[in-house]
Amino acid sequence: MNITVFGTGYVGLVVGACLADGGHHVVCVDVDEPKVEVLKTGHIPIWEPGLESLVRANLDEGRLRFTADAAEAVAFGLLLFIAVGTPSDEDGSADLRHVLDAARTIGAHMTGYKVVVNKSTVPVGSADRVRAAISEALRARGVDVPFDVCSNPEFLKEGTAIEDFTRSARIIVGTDSGRVCELMRECYAPYNRKHDKIIVMDARSAELTKYAANAMLATRISFMNEVANLAERLGADVEHVRQGIGSDPRIGYDFLYPGCGFGGSCLPKDLRALVHTAQDVGYETPVLRAVEAVNLRQKSLLFEKLSHAFGGDLSGKTIAVWGLAFKPNTDDMREAPSRALMEALWAAGACVQAYDPVAMPEAERIYGHRDDLRLMRSREEAVKGADALVICTEWKVFRAVDFDWLKSQLRQAVIVDGRNLYDPDEVSRAGIRYYAVGRRDGVVSPNVRT
């Protein structure tokens, strides 16, 4: 098939590269001409495992192209995927400006039948708004060209996006058209072979499915964080609790890990957008509001634990931070817990020595050069001479540590672990005060190794 993808951000690049790798011919279009020129060389502006090599391979094979020419892109594809950003507006609603701009561009250039596919995460009713925008552009041209609009939400996780696309658990297609359904089946045929993963529903239900899925995942995380905070106050160990409830097949283990809060480009934004959508129809969502409130509170937990460890005075202290991205295998720092921590540390007069395997250029882009932020080349450099260590991201490189060595590097033997990576007993036997989430805080074993 000939397929066009509007947008070369995270979703657009993954969709375009994966569809091309499945044998389709794909053109990705973007209004950012300098970005397009870089993409033509096979370099991508984001860090996602395997994506750059996939883009290069399909560029070399001639199945993937990039352009800034909207007319060319609209003419090329029978399926036109809209995969542009939908950031949060000031009131928490999803900003559809880029989606509707793409729709108007399609209406301005189409001359034959097209299927417009909403891949961007959009509020319920957006397919209707896209249809109206295209129809208005066609009327302005004085032409009547047939087209269909369908919803096909993405379910990509940063760090595993290629696998999520090629081995997805489900492919949601929101349409009432049999013709569209057959075309979408043809589009996804390369990745729908083992068993039929396509679920067809109306567009509004498809749009709500995406938001409901992310809201459920966010709810599980905030619920476990509530349980963890309660466990601390009751003298229980949340790791044991997690295993106990996760073993129930009705619950399962996924997204039951307590920590320092969720971030990134999806869960926080989509949760706010769903709350706003409910408000628009006069419905209150106290559960969703509580999920967001718990997450915001949880992001302050690391600073509070660290402040407690130092008697409330962090002025002049140097704090090592392991992990800046909101999760492993990405360089995305949007709404990351590390940002809340570092900004609170700076306000308290502390200095940060940070290391992340891939997100340091992003940290430099966000914060620029400042005397109280030192970006180090390794985890070892980050802890050398620091007063304490805080773990914000559960990268594999942080999981195995010689605690005797770590204690020798820190001026004061304090670890605040926002991801519960270590066994509290093992850390405490090394004479380190260990503050985790939902576990015994700051206890040093009487059997300290010397």
Side-chain angles (χ1 to χ4, degrees):
M1 301 183 80
N2 286 353
I3 297 171
T4 294
V5 179
F6 277 80
T8 58
Y10 181 82
V11 174
L13 282 176
V14 172
V15 170
C18 288
L19 289 177
D21 202 54
H24 298 304
H25 295 275
V26 180
V27 167
C28 293
V29 59
D30 202 292
V31 296
D32 187 338
E33 292 190 27
K35 182 182 181 182
V36 168
E37 292 305 311
V38 171
L39 288 167
K40 287 178 178 178
T41 69
H43 296 286
I44 65 174
I46 60 174
W47 197 91
E48 176 64 32
L51 183 56
E52 187 162 271
S53 61
L54 195 67
V55 167
R56 287 180 177 176
N58 284 280
L59 279 171
D60 292 343
E61 292 290 335
R63 290 189 299 270
L64 180 63
R65 294 189 291 116
F66 295 97
T67 184
D69 187 334
E72 172 196 354
V74 172
F76 178 81
L78 171 60
L79 302 184
L80 308 179
F81 281 79
I82 297 179
V84 296
T86 53
S88 287
D89 218 333
E90 290 183 5
D91 61 0
S93 63
D95 184 350
L96 292 182
R97 178 178 29 180
H98 303 307
V99 170
L100 296 177
D101 283 347
R104 284 187 281 267
T105 298
I106 291 168
H109 295 291
M110 61 186 288
T111 56
Y113 176 75
K114 304 289 181 182
V115 177
V116 180
V117 183
N118 269 352
K119 197 70 176 173
S120 301
T121 300
V122 292
V124 176
S126 294
D128 295 335
R129 294 185 64 182
V130 166
R131 186 179 294 107
I134 295 172
S135 296
E136 184 180 352
L138 291 173
R139 282 196 299 272
R141 292 168 54 199
V143 296
D144 183 13
V145 182
F147 69 95
D148 282 302
V149 177
C150 85
S151 175
N152 176 222
E154 54 86 10
F155 297 96
L156 306 177
K157 300 187 298 294
E158 294 188 46
T160 60
I162 293 174
E163 182 176 1
D164 291 341
F165 189 95
T166 59
R167 300 183 180 183
S168 60
R170 76 289 209 199
I171 301 167
I172 303 293
V173 176
T175 181
D176 297 318
S177 164
R179 181 182 187 183
V180 170
C181 190
E182 288 306 308
L183 289 170
M184 293 299 285
R185 284 189 177 278
E186 183 181 352
C187 172
Y188 281 105
Y191 303 119
N192 191 40
R193 296 177 61 84
K194 190 174 181 180
H195 62 91
D196 190 2
K197 297 180 287 188
I198 293 179
I199 304 173
V200 181
M201 59 185 72
D202 62 277
R204 284 177 173 257
S205 296
E207 291 162 346
L208 183 55
T209 296
K210 167 62 178 180
Y211 276 118
N214 277 355
M216 174 60 80
L217 297 176
T219 299
R220 286 173 68 96
I221 295 170
S222 281
F223 172 79
M224 278 310 294
N225 283 334
E226 285 275 64
V227 172
N229 296 338
L230 182 60
E232 286 186 14
R233 288 155 177 80
L234 295 176
D237 187 333
V238 76
E239 178 60 17
H240 295 156
V241 176
R242 182 188 69 80
Q243 293 176 21
I245 65 175
S247 61
D248 186 331
R250 297 171 300 173
I251 298 172
Y253 293 101
D254 291 345
F255 284 77
L256 281 190
Y257 290 90
C260 49
F262 57 81
S265 63
C266 293
L267 297 192
K269 171 178 72 72
D270 293 351
L271 189 62
R272 289 192 292 265
L274 187 54
V275 169
H276 190 274
T277 295
Q279 278 183 309
D280 283 347
V281 294
Y283 184 74
E284 284 300 315
T285 51
V287 171
L288 299 183
R289 289 184 181 277
V291 169
E292 183 179 20
V294 168
N295 190 56
L296 290 174
R297 184 182 67 195
Q298 203 71 8
K299 289 183 181 180
S300 66
L301 190 67
L302 299 182
F303 178 79
E304 291 170 3
K305 286 179 177 287
L306 193 62
S307 180
H308 172 73
F310 285 91
D313 183 11
L314 290 167
S315 179
K317 297 291 189 293
T318 296
I319 307 301
V321 174
W322 281 359
L324 296 170
F326 84 94
K327 62 180 283 188
N329 296 318
T330 181
D331 63 351
D332 193 343
M333 289 181 62
R334 283 174 287 186
E335 304 202 40
S338 65
R339 297 180 65 171
L341 170 68
M342 291 192 297
E343 289 162 15
L345 287 172
W346 294 328
C351 177
V352 173
Q353 291 182 174
Y355 171 70
D356 186 285
V358 302
M360 303 227 279
E362 179 66 3
E364 190 169 24
R365 183 193 70 80
I366 294 169
Y367 293 113
H369 174 77
R370 49 186 302 159
D371 293 337
D372 50 10
L373 173 61
R374 295 193 287 272
L375 299 174
M376 315 305 282
R377 292 176 295 180
S378 67
R379 68 175 196 172
E380 288 79 12
E381 283 190 8
V383 297
K384 189 173 184 179
D387 290 287
L389 166 65
V390 183
I391 300 168
C392 291
T393 315
E394 63 275 29
W395 286 96
K396 287 182 180 179
V397 71
F398 304 144
R399 293 182 182 178
V401 178
D402 180 334
F403 295 112
D404 292 325
W405 164 81
L406 185 54
K407 182 183 179 184
S408 73
Q409 300 299 299
L410 296 171
R411 291 177 186 164
Q412 302 191 44
V414 173
I415 297 177
V416 178
D417 183 358
R419 298 302 178 184
N420 287 358
L421 295 186
Y422 309 131
D423 179 347
D425 291 332
E426 185 180 359
V427 181
S428 67
R429 281 196 298 270
I432 297 173
R433 283 187 291 158
Y434 182 61
Y435 298 82
V437 182
R439 314 195 76 178
R440 292 184 301 122
D441 264 358
V443 176
V444 176
S445 170
N447 264 337
V448 173
R449 292 196 294 261
T450 58

